[in-house]
Amino acid sequence: MECRHFGRCGSCRWYEEGYEGQLTKKAEEIKALFAPLYTGAFDIARSAPEGYRARAEFKVWHVGDTMHFAMNSIDREGVVLLEECPMVTAPIQALMWPLLDALNAAPGMGRKLFGMDFLAGRDGDIAVSMLYHRKLDDTWKAQAAELATKFGISIIGRSRKQKEVIGRDHVIESVDVAERTYRFKQIENSFTQPNPGVNAQMIGWALQQFEGLGGDLLELYCGAGNFTIPFASRFDRVLATEISKSSIHAAKTNMELNDVHNIDFVRMSAEEFVQALDGVREFNRMKGIDLPSYRLDTIFVDPPRAGMDEASCDFAARHEHILYISCNPETLKRDLEYLTRTHRIEAMAMFDQFPYTHHMEMGVKLKKAAQ
């Protein structure tokens, strides 16, 4: 990827040797980090070298009467005013500059506008969130509606305790995995996988690890069902938990979008689910779910950057098979040091979700060791 802002913009920090150079160095660092636990082969999911981000957040910087897209500078001493951003997908790249020109030309539309977030589907479905330090009135709504019609997008206006939706607050994304196209409702201002190409490879790799296991699957931290929906094809039933109400709602919608019917989505934390499974507490949210009928030999976890605590690791270790997706190699290593007391690592993978940064996502398959 070529970008005139390399070396100044803080978004991309590792670019001197191009995409191949940064990927090689990251892979070397990951292998060294996990060498005390695993010395086998790593599968590596490569990103497109440019146009890979379908979710992007930009500052809106005011210079006189003109607004610019901006990012923090690499030294965090001020901002860089952007003239291009080749890391975002083509639909976002094609939209963001004409939209900014239109905002600059719309009287009052940019007043106290401080940020814009873009969320795009593969087929060009785009939702733009505009973030303000002022109350949004009827004049703003009328102007936003004109822009939404002109550009064929949805616009969400956000200010303190206010959310105004012009169109929809989500996009529909399509993901091709294992010769099937899945469709997902992705809600603005909630977590989605930012790199759709690598996301499809992550799901595909995980599906390969489940080959031949059968039975039922337990998933913790399921989000909006990004992994859950495809996983349903490999198991008799899936029981999936998530604490976010909006994510659970989206997950149930995604199940319908994909005509999948063997998943029970439950809104509860991992800790609450363990309490329900062990009979420590009863939850109304579990009514209608026959927990004893599940054959839960396999568990899938995709926790936040903090990883899992010791209690969660203990719970995961009850299962014959563990598949762990991690967005933080450091906390993954900590958790694996605990999990490998009872399980052995059978496969590992690296997923380059964020090119030109030091970030790398990981996948690990574990199986209970013979006693």
Side-chain angles (χ1 to χ4, degrees):
M1 180 174 75
E2 296 293 331
C3 179
R4 70 188 68 183
H5 303 300
F6 272 158
R8 297 185 297 119
C9 175
S11 180
C12 298
R13 293 174 168 268
W14 202 347
Y15 48 84
E16 290 89 348
E17 298 180 30
Y19 181 78
E20 296 301 329
Q22 63 94 40
L23 181 61
T24 297
K25 288 184 176 179
K26 280 196 281 192
E28 291 172 352
E29 289 182 358
I30 291 295
K31 290 176 181 178
L33 178 66
F34 288 94
L37 298 171
Y38 179 77
T39 56
F42 284 79
D43 294 312
I44 300 178
R46 303 163 58 89
S47 173
E50 62 182 35
Y52 49 84
R53 279 204 70 127
R55 188 186 81 229
E57 303 172 359
F58 297 96
K59 296 178 184 296
V60 173
W61 207 255
H62 298 250
V63 180
D65 295 330
T66 303
M67 293 178 289
H68 304 263
F69 289 118
M71 297 291 288
N72 287 329
S73 63
I74 199 166
D75 59 7
R76 299 199 176 277
E77 298 291 333
V79 300
V80 175
L81 303 183
L82 302 181
E83 298 178 23
E84 64 178 354
C85 187
M87 73 175 180
V88 298
T89 59
I92 297 177
Q93 186 74 235
L95 168 69
M96 57 189 293
W97 309 107
L99 179 59
L100 183 65
D101 289 341
L103 284 169
N104 275 312
M109 189 78 177
R111 184 168 66 86
K112 296 190 177 182
L113 173 65
F114 68 91
M116 290 176 66
D117 301 344
F118 293 81
L119 177 63
R122 183 177 68 180
D123 299 323
D125 190 11
I126 299 180
V128 181
S129 300
M130 300 184 180
L131 315 178
Y132 286 85
H133 285 310
R134 67 176 172 94
K135 182 176 175 60
L136 303 177
D137 55 18
D138 290 340
T139 299
W140 180 89
K141 295 176 192 176
Q143 290 177 310
E146 290 181 8
L147 289 178
T149 299
K150 177 180 179 178
F151 290 102
I153 60 176
S154 294
I155 294 177
I156 302 92
R158 287 185 172 273
S159 65
R160 182 177 174 83
K161 297 183 179 180
Q162 185 181 15
K163 176 182 176 182
E164 301 293 342
V165 180
I166 311 298
R168 304 181 303 181
D169 68 349
H170 64 273
V171 302
I172 301 298
E173 174 65 307
S174 299
V175 180
D176 295 329
V177 181
E179 299 183 350
R180 176 173 175 178
T181 299
Y182 292 92
R183 300 175 69 227
F184 294 95
K185 176 182 179 181
Q186 297 185 336
I187 303 171
E188 65 88 33
N189 201 40
S190 64
F191 177 78
T192 60
Q193 297 289 344
N195 189 322
V198 173
N199 180 47
Q201 295 181 73
M202 289 172 63
I203 299 170
W205 180 84
L207 284 173
Q208 292 175 2
Q209 310 314 308
F210 287 145
E211 284 287 354
L213 296 186
D216 302 324
L217 172 69
L218 172 63
E219 179 179 355
L220 306 182
Y221 321 98
C222 71
N226 176 70
F227 290 101
T228 324
I229 305 296
F231 287 175
S233 66
R234 293 290 192 270
F235 295 90
D236 296 330
R237 291 180 299 172
V238 179
L239 180 58
T241 72
E242 166 62 46
I243 191 61
S244 166
K245 184 181 295 186
S246 62
S247 291
I248 283 291
H249 179 75
K252 291 179 178 180
T253 298
N254 290 334
M255 189 168 64
E256 296 171 2
L257 279 174
N258 292 283
D259 196 26
V260 173
H261 307 285
N262 60 333
I263 304 172
D264 282 320
F265 286 107
V266 184
R267 186 178 66 82
M268 56 174 42
S269 67
E271 294 77 13
E272 288 174 330
F273 178 77
V274 175
Q275 292 173 345
L277 187 65
D278 291 345
V280 175
R281 288 179 61 190
E282 292 186 1
F283 294 86
N284 289 332
R285 286 165 281 171
M286 294 294 291
K287 283 186 176 179
I289 297 178
D290 184 10
L291 270 178
S293 70
Y294 274 88
R295 295 178 296 136
L296 299 174
D297 293 329
T298 305
I299 185 171
F300 173 74
V301 294
D302 182 11
R305 289 189 60 80
M308 299 197 298
D309 57 24
E310 190 170 302
S312 297
C313 285
D314 277 334
F315 176 70
R318 298 185 197 180
H319 300 78
E320 182 76 13
H321 305 281
I322 304 170
L323 192 64
Y324 191 144
I325 296 292
S326 169
C327 59
N328 186 341
E330 296 290 342
T331 56
L332 173 63
K333 182 185 178 185
R334 178 202 66 202
D335 291 346
L336 288 180
E337 287 171 348
Y338 195 89
L339 291 170
T340 50
R341 299 176 188 177
T342 55
H343 288 64
R344 67 175 184 272
I345 298 173
E346 292 199 321
M348 292 193 76
M350 304 179 227
F351 308 107
D352 195 18
Q353 278 266 21
F354 299 93
Y356 313 105
T357 75
H358 291 267
H359 182 85
M360 183 74 88
E361 298 220 0
M362 302 290 300
V364 186
K365 178 186 180 183
L366 301 104
K367 182 177 181 180
K368 187 165 285 189
Q371 300 297 317

